[in-house]
Amino acid sequence: MVSFPAREHSSLRIALTALTTLAVAGGLVAIPTASTATPGPAPASWDENAYRGQVEVVRTPEGPADPEHLTGRVFVDRDRDSVGDRGERGLPGVVVSNGRDVVTTDRHGRYRLPVYDNMTVFITQPSGYQVPVDESNVAQFHWNHLPEGSPELRYGGIAPTGPLPDAVNFPLVRSQLTRAQEQHCVIAGDLQTYDRTEVEYARRGAINDLAGRRDYQGCGTLFIGDVVGDDLSLYPDVKELTSRINGPARFLPGNHDLDFDSTTAEHAFDTFRAQLAPAYYSYDVGDVHVVALNTVRYPCTPDVDNADGLRPQCDDPENSPRYNGRLDEHQLAWLERDLAAVDEDKLVVLAGHIPLLTFADEGSPIHQVDQVREIYALLEGREAVSVAGHTHSIENMRTGDLMRGWQDLFGVEGLPFPHITAGAISGDWYSGELTEHGYPAAVGRDGGRPGLLTLDIRGDSFRERYTVTGESDRVQTQLGINSPTYRDWYAERQAWNDDPQGPAPELGDPHVVTRADLAGQTWLTTNFWMGSTGSTVEVRIDGGRSREAVRTQPMRGEDQLIGPEWSDPHAVAQQLVHGGSVADRTMHLWRLELPADLDAGRHRAEVTATDVHGREYTDVLHFRVVEQP
């Protein structure tokens, strides 16, 4: 087991910092540090060794001999000039796709694919090789074919690509970084910048953290949708951010990356495709196959093939949502063909913006994916993990977990493999008080703080790691006290926020407990962000015996529990005062009822949270018992 020193929570210190800065976890100022997960010497500088280049498009006056098929070559670019020279060999066995068909290159590295008027052709990067990146570190492994260009769109879409070229060739270089069995894959949820002020928040926060890390150069960073907040003109600003990171940057689309003025799904992500990435694709590193899906369907598309009545419809003209979680028929067919080309012993990381299933929206039909059971069938028997964003919350759901909404809406009887919702760089949409480090606290509706998910992978197994923005990896918990006094204030403050008449109700010191509170139900709460089924939380008060806290959501088919009794009081005390969502539900909260016979005076609670991998994190909360309020 890994053990870390205790973090001390001073009730006085927390009360003071609530007035000055929210960049504090349990009284510790959040100082940006590099990840502590990778011991040993740091890898060489990414900037010095990055393979920079682009896809090679070959055109001649005569044009292609067969205009119905696109041909080309995948080659090893020995001189790194992105040009397939005569002496540079083709690479056999590389997967190439047009988004529908999937082929592999022959012994000379050649491929041949049917042509469609609107298609993106891309390769699956093989382990041991690296696709080029541009000056912004954005991976270059695809080519768009849209001869007449996009229809008129506010943000431009895809410019006319003209006639079919003679060849589209994909360069690669050998890479020990992508060959290694140990990989650290950064999953970045919901950057979601709505303006340049928020771009700067991201730069000072999570991007600054990534700039200080060197452990992810092989796998890189996958931004899992809502890269911007509807303003697609900010994509160049995002690419300026990724120019600062230390590895390839890849993207998949979210519901705020849409060309909302597109009238059909065919062109809904044209600007995203033009500037960042295909709408869906895959790549390999080590023994890992990463699939980046487009789980957003816009305009909302009815489930016309629904035969069992369990999955949602969106064909009500008056109440239909703008989008829904869905893979179109071409993408679903591509996924089946893509997986068929993957060795059974590889770990499959299935990434999308809208989660396959989620705790936060377990009763919502439009914030989960219609064809979840079809996707499960394609992955049956494989080692897999699903990662997603969208909910701006952190969820670490394990195999077998179940919520009632999944049963009712989709007929799912338990998760067949882990599902992780990765939190968000933007946290709760950059809300709340501005910290001393220049970005908002943005505490989420689950009580989680902004940050990044990393999958630490060895072979075909992984360990998940969440890094709070500006913190070291040892910061994994958040402690509070949920008392009758707190719950009364919660109700009064929420009512005042809805109708602010007179002075706002004050909570006072949240870590002072009265005798009357102890006579009622008062819990010490532990929000363990990566806590999951199989995790434990133990509490020792004043050095006494260790007592096990109880998880509020056992994930055994129950309804979601919502309200002040199930809330994170540390988070809510910030949110109801400084704005943002309210942490009135979470699947990673543990609580222990405080003894009613505690003596008056100061007390110390030492909390040890242990995750499913045996890693221990110790946190300390100081509180005081008084006779009268």
Side-chain angles (χ1 to χ4, degrees):
M1 290 186 179
V2 179
S3 182
F4 295 104
R7 293 190 295 130
E8 296 282 339
H9 282 258
S10 163
S11 60
L12 176 60
R13 187 182 305 157
I14 290 177
L16 291 174
T17 54
L19 299 175
T20 58
T21 175
L22 298 183
V24 176
L28 287 182
V29 176
I31 301 174
T33 60
S35 167
T36 60
T38 308
S45 166
W46 168 257
D47 278 338
E48 291 177 5
N49 296 284
Y51 169 44
R52 303 203 183 275
Q54 61 278 324
V55 173
E56 180 187 26
V57 180
V58 179
R59 295 183 184 274
T60 65
E62 296 79 17
D66 178 7
E68 300 300 319
H69 290 84
L70 177 69
T71 60
R73 195 167 69 104
V74 179
F75 66 96
V76 181
D77 189 14
R78 293 179 61 186
D79 59 5
R80 295 182 167 226
D81 67 352
S82 302
V83 177
D85 301 319
R86 187 179 297 274
E88 292 176 331
R89 69 179 182 89
L91 193 64
V94 178
V95 173
V96 190
S97 178
N98 56 15
R100 302 185 188 187
D101 307 279
V102 173
V103 299
T104 55
T105 55
D106 66 15
R107 64 190 182 94
H108 300 292
R110 298 174 302 200
Y111 72 89
R112 183 172 181 268
L113 281 166
V115 171
Y116 304 99
D117 282 343
N118 183 11
M119 68 177 186
T120 302
V121 177
F122 54 89
I123 66 168
T124 296
Q125 172 188 282
S127 296
Y129 293 87
Q130 173 69 61
V131 299
V133 297
D134 67 10
E135 65 279 2
S136 299
N137 292 318
V138 177
Q140 303 295 301
F141 59 97
H142 61 284
W143 175 77
N144 295 315
H145 177 64
L146 188 57
E148 303 301 322
S150 299
E152 185 175 347
L153 297 171
R154 177 181 179 184
Y155 295 106
I158 299 171
T161 59
L164 191 72
D166 293 68
V168 175
N169 301 323
F170 296 95
L172 295 166
V173 294
R174 291 184 179 275
S175 171
Q176 291 300 317
L177 290 171
T178 70
R179 182 182 297 279
Q181 294 296 290
E182 183 174 336
Q183 295 288 336
H184 305 278
C185 300
V186 175
I187 310 297
D190 297 67
L191 183 70
Q192 203 163 346
T193 53
Y194 281 87
D195 52 39
R196 287 188 172 84
T197 297
E198 295 185 352
V199 170
E200 184 60 24
Y201 291 157
R203 183 197 318 279
R204 296 183 180 187
I207 299 301
N208 183 56
D209 288 354
L210 284 173
R213 289 175 56 175
R214 298 290 186 272
D215 62 333
Y216 60 97
Q217 292 185 5
C219 194
T221 301
L222 177 60
F223 292 85
I224 53 173
D226 284 2
V227 180
V228 295
D230 298 332
D231 184 353
L232 309 190
S233 71
L234 292 173
Y235 282 148
D237 298 86
V238 169
K239 287 190 279 191
E240 197 280 326
L241 294 179
T242 62
S243 71
R244 299 168 179 265
I245 70 175
N246 295 304
R250 295 179 175 90
F251 304 85
L252 59 81
N255 53 288
H256 289 281
D257 297 308
L258 286 160
D259 285 294
F260 276 110
D261 47 349
S262 173
T263 58
T264 66
E266 181 184 9
H267 296 289
F269 287 107
D270 279 9
T271 302
F272 174 91
R273 291 165 58 206
Q275 298 202 37
L276 296 179
Y280 52 90
Y281 54 93
S282 63
Y283 56 99
D284 288 351
V285 291
D287 276 337
V288 183
H289 182 68
V290 182
V291 181
L293 293 176
N294 172 18
T295 55
V296 180
R297 183 69 172 176
Y298 173 85
C300 187
T301 303
D303 188 3
V304 294
D305 298 324
N306 182 15
D308 52 26
L310 291 170
R311 294 192 303 244
Q313 303 282 329
C314 59
D315 51 5
D316 181 340
E318 294 185 2
N319 300 311
S320 180
R322 300 174 76 187
Y323 63 88
N324 60 321
R326 184 173 178 81
L327 278 64
D328 68 23
E329 59 180 343
H330 297 308
Q331 184 178 184
L332 195 60
W334 167 83
L335 177 61
E336 181 175 9
R337 293 163 186 154
D338 176 80
L339 292 173
V342 177
D343 292 343
E344 291 283 342
D345 58 355
K346 280 184 177 284
L347 172 68
V348 176
V349 177
L350 197 71
H353 179 64
I354 296 177
L356 299 181
L357 292 174
T358 174
F359 168 82
D361 296 304
E362 54 89 24
S364 169
I366 65 167
H367 294 301
Q368 301 172 97
V369 175
D370 288 358
Q371 307 102 320
V372 61
R373 290 189 300 171
E374 289 91 327
I375 294 170
Y376 287 168
L378 293 178
L379 289 163
E380 187 174 2
R382 291 184 179 270
E383 292 294 324
V385 56
S386 170
V387 294
H390 190 54
T391 66
H392 293 251
S393 57
I394 307 164
E395 300 173 3
N396 187 5
M397 302 185 293
R398 309 297 296 180
T399 302
D401 280 355
L402 179 63
M403 292 299 294
R404 181 167 295 170
W406 306 342
Q407 292 175 302
D408 295 344
L409 290 170
F410 302 101
V412 170
E413 294 298 331
L415 299 182
F417 47 79
H419 288 47
I420 303 175
T421 307
I425 289 176
S426 59
D428 192 63
W429 294 273
Y430 299 105
S431 64
E433 193 175 35
L434 198 66
T435 72
E436 64 186 72
H437 299 293
Y439 47 81
V443 179
R445 60 173 166 165
D446 64 326
R449 293 170 61 190
L452 295 161
L453 172 71
T454 304
L455 299 181
D456 295 316
I457 299 168
R458 180 164 295 172
D460 64 351
S461 62
F462 75 94
R463 293 185 179 187
E464 65 283 0
R465 167 166 52 107
Y466 188 75
T467 306
V468 173
T469 299
E471 298 279 14
S472 76
D473 292 337
R474 69 180 178 272
V475 177
Q476 294 292 317
T477 56
Q478 181 168 273
L479 308 183
I481 292 180
N482 187 324
S483 67
T485 296
Y486 156 76
R487 294 192 290 274
D488 289 344
W489 170 83
Y490 177 113
E492 293 169 5
R493 181 70 196 218
Q494 202 161 47
W496 184 89
N497 285 354
D498 292 338
D499 184 20
Q501 301 293 323
E506 298 292 339
L507 177 59
D509 189 334
H511 300 133
V512 172
V513 184
T514 66
R515 286 286 184 199
D517 281 345
L518 287 178
Q521 285 189 307
T522 294
W523 300 281
L524 185 148
T525 63
T526 302
N527 198 332
F528 185 12
W529 295 305
M530 274 284 115
S532 64
T533 300
S535 299
T536 61
V537 173
E538 296 184 334
V539 183
R540 293 167 61 93
I541 298 177
D542 299 328
R545 68 180 179 87
S546 181
R547 301 169 61 195
E548 190 166 343
V550 177
R551 188 184 183 192
T552 58
Q553 289 278 182
M555 305 289 286
R556 287 293 174 260
E558 74 275 11
D559 282 324
Q560 192 182 71
L561 300 174
I562 305 171
E565 187 176 0
W566 314 104
S567 67
D568 175 351
H570 180 88
V572 171
Q574 300 172 42
Q575 293 166 322
L576 286 180
V577 174
H578 300 293
S581 299
V582 177
D584 61 356
R585 72 202 73 182
T586 177
M587 52 81 65
H588 44 75
L589 188 77
W590 277 255
R591 65 187 192 184
L592 176 78
E593 188 166 358
L594 291 178
D597 59 353
L598 285 175
D599 293 335
R602 296 186 180 278
H603 298 272
R604 180 180 188 271
E606 182 178 287
V607 178
T608 300
T610 307
D611 69 15
V612 292
H613 307 295
R615 296 174 295 193
E616 292 184 355
Y617 306 94
T618 300
D619 209 345
V620 172
L621 176 72
H622 293 278
F623 64 96
R624 188 159 55 96
V625 175
V626 297
E627 297 294 340
Q628 299 294 331

